[in-house]
Amino acid sequence: MSKSRKFPLLPALLATTLLLVVSVGGWLFSQYRQFSDAPLALPQGEQVLEVARGDGFQTIVGKLRVLGIDEGHEWEWRLLARELDVARKLQAGDYRVEPGLSPRALLGRLASGKVIHYGITLVEGWNFRELRAALASENGLVQTLPGMSDDQVMAALERPGLHPEGRFLPETYHYTRGMSDLDVLRRALSAMEQSVAEVWAERDSDLPLQSPEELLVLASIIEKETGAAHERPTIAGVFVRRLKLGMRLQTDPTVIYGIGSAYDGNIRKRDLETDTPYNTYTRAGLPPTPIAMPGRAALQAAAHPEKGSALFFVSRNDGTHVFSSTLAEHNRAVDCYQRKRCP
């Protein structure tokens, strides 16, 4: 008896099985394509996916599940990662997952490292204590500074023995999750050193300043005295003329800095008379270090002060000042704007 007569249903069974396999395979392929290119379900709107260093592919998929972004597509994620060859190429960082993003696009984003960039703005006129507090409030930064003294911070920045005040350029610095507070400080330190060097190289030739360090110190005082940006060169001119004449700078911000944490918001006569290394009422010349972080404009003002004859200024209490060339003029301005005895 022939084989075909012995198993008459075999060809039909094979054909049916093949058809079933093809049908199931087609359905699975259709499901896969629909999953990989369709927008992710975002029940709570835009989400942030945090990928830590060392996270494996399954861990990342699990984090998507915790965020409510994906449910029940285990094999589809595996197949998509294999198709794109990215399972071992996903980079650490924070990723924005917004409406309309497909799984394919998301994995491409994770593989290319298109992470969220955060920003911290260092404000002109901040002192180092305020700068450290701002860094400590940034949740996206790895915190390494708490517990370190100022001296230890500067040593970690490879500037041992350098006073930290005024050494960091006020700007907005962008960072990604995983960077540290020290990374931001390192960039701000480099930016300030470069800025001071550039400004010093182009300074006016007749400045009574002996070094880039003195330029930085003067710029920090200008920064703290300036309420209106356009007055920076004018204020710089007053201080430069005083230095040339050997007059004391007599600037309140240096006194306040010398008082330190004991300052309660008011300067009293005894404060002006109490000698500290920063009291420019009792000591001639510049204080020993900067008193705050000067911005680029203050550096430029210190290097290119406005010409003129003014030797005094007093606040109008609106952020601007009245400038005077003689003590008599200055006293009249003080009477008017500080003692409210305007003629």
Side-chain angles (χ1 to χ4, degrees), residues 9-23:
L9 299 179
L10 185 58
L13 181 60
L14 290 174
T16 301
T17 301
L18 181 60
L19 180 61
L20 181 61
V21 169
V22 170
S23 297

Side-chain angles (χ1 to χ4, degrees), residues 80-91:
L80 181 59
R82 181 170 296 181
E83 177 192 342
L84 299 176
D85 190 27
V86 297
R88 299 182 180 276
K89 301 176 182 178
L90 306 184
Q91 302 184 42

Side-chain angles (χ1 to χ4, degrees), residues 28-47:
L28 289 175
F29 183 76
S30 174
Q31 290 291 104
Y32 167 69
R33 283 301 179 196
Q34 183 178 356
F35 159 80
S36 62
D37 297 312
L40 286 165
L42 302 175
Q44 299 180 6
E46 183 175 298
Q47 299 282 332

Side-chain angles (χ1 to χ4, degrees), residues 199-254:
V199 172
W200 177 255
E202 298 175 355
R203 70 192 184 281
D204 290 353
S205 59
D206 60 342
L207 290 181
L209 304 175
Q210 303 304 312
S211 66
E213 175 72 10
E214 290 191 352
L215 176 79
L216 180 61
V217 173
L218 178 58
S220 74
I221 299 173
I222 294 167
E223 191 68 77
K224 293 300 290 184
E225 282 282 18
T226 305
H230 70 276
E231 289 189 350
R232 286 192 182 98
T234 312
I235 290 175
V238 170
F239 288 140
V240 165
R241 281 185 287 277
R242 279 180 165 257
L243 288 171
K244 286 182 176 180
L245 293 171
M247 295 176 65
R248 293 176 182 176
L249 296 183
Q250 296 184 325
T251 170
D252 291 355
T254 62

Side-chain angles (χ1 to χ4, degrees), residues 47-112:
Q47 299 282 332
V48 174
L49 172 64
E50 298 180 11
V51 178
R53 297 185 189 278
D55 278 357
F57 181 71
Q58 289 307 118
T59 300
I60 295 172
V61 173
K63 288 184 174 182
L64 287 172
R65 205 169 290 126
V66 169
L67 291 175
I69 292 175
D70 178 71
E71 292 290 347
H73 293 288
E74 187 81 19
W75 70 268
E76 289 99 327
W77 280 112
R78 287 177 177 273
L79 186 58
L80 181 59
R82 181 170 296 181
E83 177 192 342
L84 299 176
D85 190 27
V86 297
R88 299 182 180 276
K89 301 176 182 178
L90 306 184
Q91 302 184 42
D94 286 2
Y95 294 86
R96 189 169 283 110
V97 185
E98 66 271 15
L101 190 70
S102 68
R104 183 181 300 277
L106 175 59
L107 289 189
R109 183 173 293 182
L110 269 63
S112 63

Side-chain angles (χ1 to χ4, degrees), residues 47-48 93-96 114-118 175-177:
Q47 299 282 332
V48 174
D94 286 2
Y95 294 86
R96 189 169 283 110
K114 292 182 179 179
V115 297
I116 299 173
H117 285 79
Y118 300 99
Y175 66 90
T176 59
R177 183 173 293 277

